[in-house]
């Protein structure tokens, strides 16, 4: 799954977590220099709705719901 991150976060360290409906982190990624589009593999996950949580090194957080089919 591709996620376009805010332009202001490009080149910064990011922590990316994919969280299931039980609140468990099911996939995660850290990057020291984020590109504009970051990719997480979701094909091994059960179908359903997940929360994508992205946090930068300054504590700014963006969350999005994503649906895995």
């Amino acid at each position: 799954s591709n996620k376009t991150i805010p332009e202001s976060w490009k080149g910064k360290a990011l922590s990316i977590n994919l969280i299931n409906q039980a609140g468990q982190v099911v996939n995660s990624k850290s990057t020291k220099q984020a590109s504009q589009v970051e990719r997480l593999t979701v094909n091994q996950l059960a179908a359903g709705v997940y929360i994508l949580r992205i946090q930068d090194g300054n504590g700014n957080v963006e969350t999005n719901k994503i649906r895995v089919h």
Side-chain angles (χ1 to χ4, degrees):
S1 179
N2 290 331
K3 171 65 181 159
T4 302
I5 62 168
E7 179 69 32
S8 62
W9 291 13
K10 188 176 175 184
K12 295 184 179 178
L14 296 180
S15 172
I16 304 168
N17 292 305
L18 192 59
I19 303 163
N20 67 15
Q21 291 182 339
Q24 300 166 313
V25 175
V26 294
N27 199 341
S28 64
K29 176 180 179 179
S30 293
T31 181
K32 292 181 193 262
Q33 285 195 316
S35 60
Q36 189 65 43
V37 175
E38 290 293 332
R39 179 181 293 267
L40 275 179
T41 302
V42 297
N43 58 353
Q44 80 283 10
L45 299 175
V49 176
Y50 294 82
I51 300 295
L52 181 66
R53 184 179 189 275
I54 305 171
Q55 182 172 350
D56 73 5
N58 296 325
N60 298 309
V61 175
E62 180 176 303
T63 59
N64 293 267
K65 285 185 182 179
I66 66 165
R67 182 174 300 277
V68 175
H69 299 279

